[in-house]
Amino acid sequence: MATIFKRIRQRPIPTGAEINERGGERFAVWVNRKTKRKQRAPITADGTKVLIEASGYEIEYNDHNGKRQRRSTRCTDRDAVEQMARELERGVLLRKEGIIDPTADRYSTEARRPLALHLDEFKATIVARANTAQHCRETHTKAAQIVKLCSAVFIHDLTASAVQAAIKSLKDDGKSLKTCNHYLRAIKSFSRWLQRDKRTREDALATLRAFNAATDPKHVRRELTVEELVRLFATTEGRTRPEHNMPGTDRAMIYRLALGTGFRASELRSLTPSSFHLDDEPPTVTVHAAHSKRRRTDAQPIRHDLAETLGRWLEGKPEGTLFAKLPRDTAKMLRRDLKAARNAWIAEGETEAERMLRAESDFLAYENAAGEVADFHSFRHAYISSIVNGGASVKVAQELARHSTPTLTIGRYAHTRLHDLQGALEALPTTNTSDDNRSERQVLRATGTEASTEVTKTTRTYDARSGQYSGQYSGGETGQNAARGGETPDSAYANTVEANLLAHNALDGQGRTSASVGETTPTGIRTPVDGLRTRCPRPLDDRGMRLFFISRLRSTVKGQRKETRRGSVGRRP
C-alpha cells in the first residue's frame, strides 16, 4: 500500500522570530527574507528548532522485489499525488506478473542520468578493485576528456562515431597513435562497465579498434652498449651535486638494479633492505604484490656478481625504502648523468680532431641519429632483450619479464639485431638449382650434418677389448665424419657392431663438446655409428633429427642381430 506524506525537516529558529503559544502548542512567527512574507512553524519540544514542512508530497511504496521505495513528486495537489501512487502500484503489479520487464525500467532510468554521475561511479568501481591510484586517476581523466570532446551528456550521446572523431582531434593536436590508444582504452573500459553494470543494453564502442602504433613511432627506445654502461656507472658514482635528490653511488646502484632485474621505477622505489635475499641460491630481489604491476609477489633472481656488489652497498643502510627519493622524472635524471658521462668521455680525447669526432658520435647520447632515446625504461628493454638473445625459451623470458603474455615479451621488448636474423638464414635451402651445384655437400648441409672440411678415410684399426675403431681422418673428426666412417665396413667391424653401440667414454667436467662413434651426447641421444647412412629425405629440426637417428640405429642393430643368429659371423666380443 502506498503512503503519501510531506517531509518535515528541523531547522534552527530564525533570528528575530516571535514565540507564541495557542491551544497548548508553541510556534514561531518570522518574516521570510526571500518572500518578505510572514511564516509560521511549530517548535520542537525542547524549544530549540522549528519544524518546516515541505511544500510537495512524497510517495512511499513497495516495488516488485518487495523493497521499500520513496519518490518525491514535487506536487502540492494531493489528489494528483494519489493518482500517481495508484499508477506506481499498478506498475508494480504488472512487473510481478511479467508483463513489464524490470530490466527495461533500469535501462530507462540510467539513460536519464548525466554521464558525469556515471563517470564518478565508474572511478569508484575501479578504485574498489584495488588498482593503483595512478591507474585510477589516469583512466578516469582520459575517459572524462573523451566525453568532453564528444559533448556527450547522456549515455546515448556516447556513440562510436563521436568517439572516433574525438580521438582524431587528439591526433590532429599532435598526440601519437600510442597515446591515442591510451585514451581509446580508457573510454572503451568505461563503455564496457556501463554494459556489465546493466546501465545500457549494449557496448556502443565495441567495434572501435586500436591504431597500429608501430606506424607512428614517437618515442623509440635504444639499448646502451656495454661500453656506455661502464662509463655511465663510473661517472655517476663520483658525481653528486646539491641539486641531486640521491647521491651518485645510489643512482649508479639503481641503474645496475634496473639493468640486472628489469624492475620498473615504481617497483624500485618500494625496495627495502629486507627485499634482498643475497645469500639464497640463486640470490633474489623481492617486490611485494602491492607494488608490482601485475599484483603478484615477485622474487626476481639476479647474477652472483650483482649480488656481491649489492651486499657491499647495503652495509650500514638503515631500514626503510632505499630509493624513496628517486625522482618521478627518472628520464631527466638519467639524461643528466648521460650528459655528464659523455662530456667526460669527449674531454679525454688527446687531440682536437679526436674530440670533434667523439662529439659527432652517438656514444652516451640520450638520442642518437636515428631518433632512438635512452631513458630509464630502456634498462628494462635491455634486460629482456639480453635474455631473449641469450637463447632463453619463450616461457623463461616471459617469467623473467613478468609479463602476462609472451607476445608482449617478444614483440615489444625483445630488440632483434641484424646479425641475429642473419644466423637464422643459414637454415634456408640454396636457391641455385643447377646440377653442378647440387653436390652431396649441399644435401648434407640441408640435414644439418655437414662436415667442416672434406673427409677422406685413411686407416682404421679395431680394438676388440674396447669394442671401438680408431682411425685418422683428414679434416678432423666431426659428427658427419663419424656418420660416414663405416659406409664400407669390413667383416671384423660387422662382427662387433653391437658391442660398438654400447661403448661409453667418461664425460669431462664441462659436459661433452663432441661425440665419437658410439658415444652418448649431452642430450642422451647416441651418435651415428659406422654402417649407418645419415642422409635424410628432407631437412629436419633438432627433434626430427634425433628421432631419425634413433629409428636408423634400431634397424641397424636388429639386422646385425639376425646375422649373428644365422652363424654368418662369430660371437660378440
Side-chain angles (χ1 to χ4, degrees):
M1 186 67 181
T3 304
I4 301 173
F5 63 94
K6 287 185 178 181
R7 180 176 295 186
I8 297 178
R9 297 180 176 88
Q10 295 184 5
R11 294 287 185 270
I13 298 177
T15 304
E18 296 181 0
I19 308 298
N20 298 326
E21 183 174 354
R22 182 179 296 177
E25 181 182 359
R26 299 177 63 193
F27 56 91
V29 179
W30 71 96
V31 177
N32 193 308
R33 293 182 180 179
K34 293 182 179 180
T35 61
K36 304 299 180 181
R37 295 180 179 180
K38 285 188 177 181
Q39 190 170 349
R40 173 179 171 178
I43 302 176
T44 58
D46 57 3
T48 58
K49 296 181 179 180
V50 294
L51 302 176
I52 305 297
E53 185 180 64
S55 59
Y57 286 95
E58 294 187 6
I59 304 174
E60 275 193 357
Y61 66 100
N62 294 328
D63 63 7
H64 59 282
N65 293 322
K67 295 182 179 180
R68 196 69 175 172
Q69 302 290 342
R70 178 180 292 183
R71 176 173 296 186
S72 176
T73 63
R74 298 182 181 180
C75 181
T76 59
D77 187 351
R78 185 177 180 85
D79 294 336
V81 173
E82 289 179 352
Q83 185 176 356
M84 292 180 188
R86 287 193 292 269
E87 288 294 328
L88 289 173
E89 291 180 338
R90 179 175 175 272
V92 170
L93 180 60
L94 293 176
R95 290 176 180 85
K96 287 183 177 180
E97 298 297 331
I99 300 175
I100 297 179
D101 185 8
T103 306
D105 281 350
R106 175 175 172 82
Y107 290 146
S108 177
T109 302
E110 298 295 342
R112 293 191 298 268
R113 299 180 63 206
L115 266 178
L117 298 179
H118 293 294
L119 276 170
D120 293 340
E121 294 169 0
F122 169 67
K123 182 180 180 180
T125 301
I126 58 178
V127 169
R129 294 175 186 167
N131 291 303
T132 62
Q134 180 181 357
H135 170 75
C136 297
R137 181 176 61 255
E138 290 182 353
T139 302
H140 176 264
T141 302
K142 288 181 171 63
Q145 179 69 14
I146 297 298
V147 169
K148 181 179 179 180
L149 291 175
C150 293
S151 300
V153 180
F154 301 104
I155 293 178
H156 59 79
D157 297 328
L158 196 65
T159 61
S161 58
V163 171
Q164 195 72 60
I167 296 295
K168 183 180 182 300
S169 66
L170 292 176
K171 185 177 180 298
D172 294 339
D173 290 340
K175 302 290 186 183
S176 66
L177 293 183
K178 186 176 180 181
T179 302
C180 291
N181 286 339
H182 291 328
Y183 280 89
L184 185 59
R185 279 195 293 268
I187 193 64
K188 283 173 67 71
S189 176
F190 173 61
S191 180
R192 285 194 302 270
W193 173 79
L194 289 175
Q195 182 191 24
R196 293 173 182 173
D197 205 43
K198 304 299 182 183
R199 297 171 185 246
T200 182
R201 293 184 181 274
E202 59 181 2
D203 182 5
L205 309 182
T207 58
L208 294 181
R209 295 292 179 266
F211 297 100
N212 182 9
T215 61
D216 182 33
K218 294 292 182 68
H219 193 82
V220 181
R221 292 183 173 91
R222 73 178 183 95
E223 303 172 20
L224 295 175
T225 64
V226 176
E227 293 78 9
E228 289 176 311
L229 291 171
V230 171
R231 284 272 182 177
L232 174 64
F233 296 159
T235 305
T236 305
E237 284 179 345
R239 180 173 176 268
T240 301
R241 299 287 182 84
E243 64 270 16
H244 291 158
N245 292 343
M246 302 170 60
T249 54
D250 291 353
R251 296 201 313 277
M253 185 54 63
I254 204 170
Y255 295 155
R256 288 190 175 96
L257 268 174
L259 182 65
T261 61
F263 284 165
R264 305 169 180 88
S266 58
E267 296 168 339
L268 290 169
R269 289 189 185 94
S270 67
L271 297 181
T272 63
S274 59
S275 303
F276 297 87
H277 307 279
L278 305 180
D279 296 331
D280 295 350
E281 185 57 37
T284 59
V285 182
T286 302
V287 173
H288 294 289
H291 306 284
S292 176
K293 185 176 180 180
R294 64 174 182 173
R295 290 295 179 265
R296 299 180 187 175
T297 298
D298 297 318
Q300 191 80 333
I302 60 175
R303 290 171 56 97
H304 287 85
D305 53 354
L306 178 58
E308 294 176 0
T309 305
L310 282 169
R312 295 190 295 269
W313 177 76
L314 286 171
E315 293 179 358
K317 291 291 182 181
E319 289 295 330
T321 53
L322 297 170
F323 305 110
K325 295 183 178 180
L326 179 65
R328 179 175 177 81
D329 192 354
T330 52
K332 184 177 181 180
M333 177 186 71
L334 178 59
R335 187 160 55 245
R336 290 178 175 177
D337 289 334
L338 282 173
K339 183 178 180 180
R342 176 177 169 82
N343 292 337
W345 172 71
I346 294 175
E348 292 177 2
E350 296 180 357
T351 64
E352 184 64 25
E354 182 181 356
R355 288 191 288 270
M356 291 181 62
L357 288 176
R358 292 190 177 192
E360 294 175 357
S361 70
D362 294 333
F363 189 77
L364 287 171
Y366 172 74
E367 184 175 359
N368 60 14
E372 300 172 336
V373 299
D375 59 4
F376 192 84
H377 204 66
S378 297
F379 290 123
R380 178 169 173 80
H381 281 248
Y383 172 80
I384 299 174
S385 295
S386 300
I387 291 172
V388 174
N389 296 331
S393 66
V394 176
K395 182 62 177 177
V396 171
Q398 178 189 352
E399 288 296 325
L400 289 174
R402 297 174 295 120
H403 285 151
S404 59
T405 170
T407 305
L408 184 61
T409 305
I410 305 301
R412 179 178 299 179
Y413 283 86
H415 298 253
T416 305
R417 302 174 180 86
L418 286 178
H419 68 267
D420 298 328
L421 302 177
Q422 178 65 29
L425 298 179
E426 298 299 330
L428 296 176
T430 179
T431 58
N432 192 344
T433 58
S434 62
D435 294 338
D436 296 338
N437 293 283
R438 289 180 58 83
S439 62
E440 181 181 10
R441 183 181 183 88
Q442 291 178 335
V443 176
L444 297 176
R445 181 181 302 163
T447 65
T449 57
E450 178 193 12
S452 59
T453 59
E454 187 67 25
V455 179
T456 303
K457 179 180 177 182
T458 56
T459 60
R460 292 174 59 80
T461 304
Y462 174 72
D463 187 358
R465 175 177 298 179
S466 63
Q468 293 284 346
Y469 267 91
S470 61
Q472 299 294 329
Y473 296 89
S474 60
E477 183 76 10
T478 63
Q480 176 63 16
N481 299 345
R484 291 175 49 83
E487 290 186 358
T488 56
D490 53 20
S491 60
Y493 173 74
N495 196 25
T496 57
V497 63
E498 187 166 344
N500 194 9
L501 288 173
L502 302 177
H504 294 272
N505 292 329
L507 293 172
D508 56 15
Q510 298 297 327
R512 202 173 309 252
T513 58
S514 64
S516 301
V517 176
E519 290 186 336
T520 303
T521 60
T523 57
I525 304 300
R526 300 185 62 80
T527 59
V529 298
D530 294 358
L532 171 62
R533 300 184 64 86
T534 60
R535 299 181 185 178
C536 300
R538 57 184 175 85
L540 301 173
D541 56 9
D542 293 341
R543 182 174 179 273
M545 185 63 71
R546 293 197 296 268
L547 296 177
F548 170 75
F549 281 141
I550 292 173
S551 63
R552 295 293 292 169
L553 284 170
R554 288 176 178 172
S555 61
T556 302
V557 173
K558 185 176 180 181
Q560 296 300 331
R561 284 178 176 173
K562 289 182 179 179
E563 293 181 7
T564 303
R565 295 193 193 98
R566 292 171 185 167
S568 60
V569 292
R571 291 181 176 276
R572 292 180 296 175

